[in-house]
C-alpha cells in the first residue's frame, strides 16, 4: 500500500506539464495501482539480477526487448545490426548485474541508454565518422539521471512522452532527431542543415529544455 | 567559459554527441560549478527520448542468444576464481616454443576420450564423436572446471525459427549447455562456460529459437564422456 500511496503522489504532481489525456484521467485510480505494481515488478527484477538469476534477465527481455530493438532499429535501419546492439546491451547488464544497486528502481533507462550509445557508435563507424567518447552513463550526473528517468516513467507512459515530443517545433524536432537518432555533432548538424552553429546550439538547447519542462524535471535554464 | 556558454554545450553533452574537446570543456567546468542537477535533468530528458521510440518485435532467435550468454557468463564469474585455462601451454610457449609445438602435436594425437597426463593439468580432456553421417563433435575441457571449447560439423543449417540446443544428461538431470545454429557449411565452433563431469552424456536437439529449459525435439546424436 505504501507503494501505491507514493506513486499516487507522483501522479498528481503539478510539476508534470504533460497532462494525461481524458481517457487516462478517467483511469487514474487503475493506472495508479498499475504503476505501483509495475514498480514492484521492476524492483524485483533488479534484485534478482543482482542475485544473478537468469530468469530476471529473461523477464527484463520480455518487457524491454521490443523497445530496445525499436530504438536500435530506428537509429541503424538494419535488423541484424540492431539485433547485435540489443544483445550486447543485455549482455552488458547481465555481466555487470552484481554492480547494480538493488535499491534502484529499474534498469530500463540504463538499458535504453546503452542501446542508444552502442547504436550511435555503430552508425558513426558505418558512415566512417569518428567515434565519440561516452559522457553520459558513467558520471555521477548520469547515475542521478537514470533515477530521474525511472521517476518520470513512473508518472508518464510512452504516449505521454510522445506527446511531449510532439510539443517541440519542427525545427527543434529536426535537430533533436539528427543529434539523438543520427548521432551527429554540432558541426555535422550544421553541415547537414546549412544552419549556423549558434542556431543549431540554441535549437538543441530550447528543445531539450522544452522536454525537461514537459517531463517535470525542473525549470528551463 | 562561463555557465551560459557551457549550457550551450550541455545538450550535445547529454545527447552523447559532444566531441572530445567539448566533453573536456564541459567536464572541466562541471568540476568547479554547481550544474550537477541541471546536467542530471537534461541527461534524463535525453534518455527519455528513447522511451518514445516505436516498439519493434525483434527476431525470435535473439532471446535464445541472450539467454545462452547468461549460461556462459554465470560460469565465467566462477572462472575468475578458478584455474586459468591452459596456463601450461602459455608458459611453455614463452620458454620453449619447440616443446610447445610438440605438446600440441601430442594433444592432436590424443583424441577419442583420452585423458591427458600433463604435469599441470592432468584432468584435461578431449572428447571426439563421429556419427554415421559424417557428423562430428569435439569437446575440449577440464573436467570439473568451467569452460569448454566445442566444435562440430556435418549438420543441416536450421531456419531462423530454430536453434540447435546442446544438452547434458547427468544422473536424472538434463542441463542446457547452450544454443546455436551452424553456418551454411554445417559447422559451428565456440566456447561454453559449462562445467562438464565424467560420465556426462551429450546430446543435441533442434528447438524453437525462443529458447527452452527442457528438450522437446528428437536427439540428433548422443555421446557419452
Amino acid at each position: 500500500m505504501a507503494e501505491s500511496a507514493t506513486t499516487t503522489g507522483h501522479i498528481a504532481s503539478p510539476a508534470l506539464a504533460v497532462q494525461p489525456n481524458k481517457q487516462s484521467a478517467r483511469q487514474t485510480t487503475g493506472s495508479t495501482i498499475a504503476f505501483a505494481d509495475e514498480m514492484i515488478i521492476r524492483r524485483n527484477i533488479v534484485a534478482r539480477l543482482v542475485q544473478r538469476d537468469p530468469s530476471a534477465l529473461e523477464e527484463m527481455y520480455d518487457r524491454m526487448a521490443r523497445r530496445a530493438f525499436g530504438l536500435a532499429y530506428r537509429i541503424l535501419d538494419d535488423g541484424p545490426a540492431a539485433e547485435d546492439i540489443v544483445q550486447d546491451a543485455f549482455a552488458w547488464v547481465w555481466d555487470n548485474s552484481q554492480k547494480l544497486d538493488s535499491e534502484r528502481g529499474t534498469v530500463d533507462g540504463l538499458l535504453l541508454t546503452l542501446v542508444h550509445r552502442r547504436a550511435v557508435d555503430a552508425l558513426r563507424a558505418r558512415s566512417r565518422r569518428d567515434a565519440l567518447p561516452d559522457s553520459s552513463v558513467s558520471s555521477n550526473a548520469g547515475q542521478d539521471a537514470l533515477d530521474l528517468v525511472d521517476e518520470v516513467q513512473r508518472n508518464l507512459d510512452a504516449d505521454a512522452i510522445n506527446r511531449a515530443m510532439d510539443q517541440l517545433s519542427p525545427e527543434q524536432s529536426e535537430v533533436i532527431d539528427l543529434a539523438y537518432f543520427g548521432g551527429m555533432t554540432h558541426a555535422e548538424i550544421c553541415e547537414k542543415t546549412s544552419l549556423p552553429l549558434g542556431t543549431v546550439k540554441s535549437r538543441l538547447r530550447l528543445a531539450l529544455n522544452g522536454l525537461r519542462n514537459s517531463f517535470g524535471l525542473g525549470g528551463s535554464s | 567559459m562561463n555557465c551560459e556558454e557551457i549550457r550551450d554545450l550541455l545538450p550535445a553533452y547529454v545527447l552523447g554527441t559532444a566531441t572530445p574537446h567539448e566533453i573536456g570543456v564541459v567536464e572541466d567546468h562541471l568540476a568547479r560549478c554547481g550544474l550537477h542537477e541541471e546536467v542530471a535533468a537534461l541527461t534524463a530528458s535525453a534518455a527519455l527520448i528513447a522511451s518514445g521510440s516505436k516498439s519493434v518485435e525483434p527476431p525470435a532467435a535473439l532471446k535464445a542468444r541472450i539467454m545462452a550468454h547468461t549460461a556462459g557468463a554465470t560460469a565465467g564469474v566462477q572462472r575468475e576464481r578458478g584455474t586459468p585455462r591452459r596456463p601450461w601451454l602459455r608458459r611453455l610457449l614463452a620458454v620453449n616454443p619447440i616443446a610447445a609445438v610438440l605438446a600440441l602435436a601430442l594433444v592432436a594425437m590424443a583424441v577419442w576420450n583420452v585423458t591427458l597426463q600433463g604435469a599441470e593439468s592432468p584432468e584435461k580432456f578431449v572428447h571426439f564423436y563421429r556419427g554415421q553421417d559424417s557428423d562430428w563433435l569435439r569437446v575440449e575441457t577440464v573436467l570439473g572446471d568451467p569452460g569448454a571449447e566445442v566444435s562440430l560439423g556435418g549438420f543441416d543449417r536450421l531456419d531462423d525459427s530454430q536453434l540447435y540446443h546442446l544438452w547434458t544428461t547427468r544422473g536424472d538431470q538434463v542441463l542446457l549447455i547452450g544454443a546455436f545454429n551452424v553456418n551454411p557449411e554445417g559447422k559451428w565452433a565456440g566456447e561454453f562456460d559449462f562445467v562438464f563431469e565424467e560420465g556426462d552424456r551429450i546430446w543435441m536437439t533442434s528447438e524453437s529459437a525462443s529458447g527452452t529449459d527442457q528438450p522437446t525435439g528428437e536427439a540428433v546424436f548422443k555421446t557419452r564422456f
Side-chain angles (χ1 to χ4, degrees), chain A residues 97-110:
Chain A
S97 60
Q98 286 172 312
K99 299 175 196 163
L100 297 175
D101 181 357
S102 57
E103 295 301 311
R104 186 180 293 281
T106 80
V107 289
D108 297 358
L110 173 64

Side-chain angles (χ1 to χ4, degrees), chain B residues 11-61:
Chain B
Y13 179 75
V14 302
L15 288 164
T17 57
T19 63
H21 172 71
E22 288 170 335
I23 290 173
V25 169
V26 169
E27 291 188 344
D28 276 355
H29 188 87
L30 293 181
R32 326 178 244 108
C33 189
L35 287 175
H36 178 89
E37 284 185 18
E38 191 170 333
V39 172
L42 290 173
T43 303
S45 302
L48 283 160
I49 295 170
S51 301
S53 284
K54 187 180 170 188
S55 292
V56 178
E57 191 72 42

